[in-house]
Amino acid sequence: MLLNILFIVVGVALVIWGADRMTDGAVAIAQRLRIPQIIIGLTIVAMGTSMPEFFVSLMSALKGTPDLAVGNVVGSNIFNTLLIVGVAAMVTPIVILRSTVKKDMPWAMLASAALAALCLDSTISRVDAAILTAAFIAFILYTLYQARKGKEEESAEGKKIRPLVAVGLVLLGLACLILGSNLFVDSATKVAEQLGVSQAVIGLTIVAGGTSLPELATSVVAARKGQSAIAIGNVIGSNVYNVLMIIGITGLIHPMNIEGITLIDFGVMAFSMLLLWLFSFTKFKVERWEGSVLTGFFAAYMAWLLSQVI
């Protein structure tokens, strides 16, 4: 048991470190090709922050544990919306960009509702996955169009990395992602079996929490520095990526039968986004008391999950 828990920690560390290295290398290559900074941010960097969830979910599906795969995405979105935004707002009230409230949040709510509707038959077929993937492509095109229409930018200027080193970083990051996610999924599955806990609960808690750690740390630090608007925008944007890209691509590769994820789990995911949108829409700001409400809902949901195990 202790060895498997150690492997979970090592797996999380490898996945997070690998995602960082792969993103650094990909950004450096994009800069060499003189790709505009806005495109790099909206595609490579945004996808890079979702790589931990993507590889863990993909490996879970391929290894025959679909509840772990979907639970990871649903749980990560709940962590992002309730815990990360809630804790960040309690540290200091956060101002949210108007574009996040008017563009990203509606997409996140629609993505949550679409996933819940498609999972009513307890399956993610290739047709379901194709719908999510098509919506993801539409989201990317719409986001790029809005960004380019709002402001043209020069190609990105950042730290210079030699081409061979950049390619090496991408390959090294990819290897760590594959190794870490394999280790993570295998160990989490064994712990679930030893504790008699369902894969769905493990996915909604341990796996989701592990893959959401980078967003939590980044958002809390950003809030302390008074720069939470961008960090929160990235968190909300990652909710869209998690559902449309991760479930979409994973489902295309390997259709999934879902047994342990309930309507309550999907409902909490959708309701959390709606609640955050309502808090943000009034003054484009999340106050400390609103952060406390979000965190309280998260604690209540975790307590409910634990009550199902005991």
Side-chain angles (χ1 to χ4, degrees), residues 81 109 268-280:
T81 308
M109 287 187 288
V268 170
M269 178 180 66
F271 176 74
S272 64
M273 270 308 312
L274 177 61
L275 185 62
L276 177 58
W277 182 76
L278 289 173
F279 283 161
S280 306

Side-chain angles (χ1 to χ4, degrees), residues 149-170:
K149 185 177 70 172
K151 183 179 181 181
E152 293 288 336
E153 294 195 22
E154 298 294 328
S155 58
E157 292 294 333
K159 60 181 179 179
K160 301 295 183 182
I161 301 177
R162 287 180 295 177
L164 285 179
V165 175
V167 172
L169 284 174
V170 171

Side-chain angles (χ1 to χ4, degrees), residues 44-299:
I44 298 171
V45 176
M47 290 181 189
T49 59
S50 292
M51 281 296 105
E53 289 90 343
F54 175 66
F55 271 85
V56 168
S57 290
L58 178 60
M59 292 301 173
S60 297
L62 293 176
K63 289 176 177 289
T65 54
D67 281 350
L68 205 63
V70 178
N72 173 36
V73 167
V74 173
S76 290
N77 281 16
I78 292 172
F79 266 80
N80 287 349
T81 308
L82 296 181
L83 183 65
I84 295 178
V85 178
V87 170
M90 286 194 297
V91 170
T92 183
I94 56 176
V95 177
I96 299 183
L97 298 174
R98 288 176 179 265
S99 60
T100 298
V101 175
K102 293 183 176 181
K103 181 193 67 179
D104 292 335
M105 287 188 182
W107 273 96
M109 287 187 288
L110 286 172
S112 299
L115 179 60
L118 293 174
C119 290
L120 286 176
D121 59 355
S122 299
T123 61
I124 294 288
S125 65
R126 282 198 169 93
V127 173
D128 296 335
I131 292 172
L132 294 175
T133 304
F136 172 68
I137 294 171
F139 170 72
I140 290 293
L141 293 176
Y142 172 78
T143 303
L144 291 176
Y145 170 74
Q146 291 295 323
R148 299 288 290 186
K149 185 177 70 172
K151 183 179 181 181
E152 293 288 336
E153 294 195 22
E154 298 294 328
S155 58
E157 292 294 333
K159 60 181 179 179
K160 301 295 183 182
I161 301 177
R162 287 180 295 177
L164 285 179
V165 175
V167 172
L169 284 174
V170 171
L171 295 176
L172 176 62
L174 184 60
C176 289
L177 281 166
I178 294 172
L179 176 62
S181 56
N182 265 302
L183 187 63
F184 191 42
V185 171
D186 288 343
S187 301
T189 302
K190 289 177 182 177
V191 168
E193 291 172 351
Q194 291 171 341
L195 293 176
V197 178
S198 70
Q199 294 169 7
V201 171
I202 292 293
L204 288 164
T205 55
I206 297 174
V207 178
T211 55
S212 292
L213 283 178
E215 287 94 337
L216 176 60
T218 300
S219 295
V220 171
V221 170
R224 288 177 63 88
K225 293 181 178 179
Q227 300 172 338
S228 56
I230 294 175
I232 299 304
N234 288 339
V235 164
I236 302 304
S238 76
N239 282 10
V240 180
Y241 275 74
N242 286 349
V243 172
L244 301 183
M245 182 186 78
I246 294 175
I247 298 297
I249 295 176
T250 299
L252 284 175
I253 296 172
H254 193 284
M256 296 173 281
N257 290 317
I258 306 160
E259 297 177 359
I261 312 298
T262 67
L263 286 177
I264 292 178
D265 301 314
F266 288 116
V268 170
M269 178 180 66
F271 176 74
S272 64
M273 270 308 312
L274 177 61
L275 185 62
L276 177 58
W277 182 76
L278 289 173
F279 283 161
S280 306
F281 190 76
T282 50
K283 298 179 181 178
F284 298 99
K285 188 176 185 179
V286 180
E287 303 286 356
R288 280 195 173 92
W289 73 267
E290 293 169 329
S292 299
V293 171
L294 293 172
T295 307
F297 270 112
F298 176 79

Side-chain angles (χ1 to χ4, degrees), residues 5-41:
I5 292 175
L6 176 61
F7 285 158
I8 288 175
V9 174
V10 172
V12 170
L14 276 173
V15 166
I16 293 172
W17 190 84
D20 284 341
R21 299 293 78 73
M22 192 170 92
T23 301
D24 288 344
V27 169
I29 292 171
Q31 289 172 347
R32 285 278 179 178
L33 297 174
R34 298 186 181 279
I35 295 175
Q37 185 176 9
I38 187 66
I39 296 179
I40 295 174

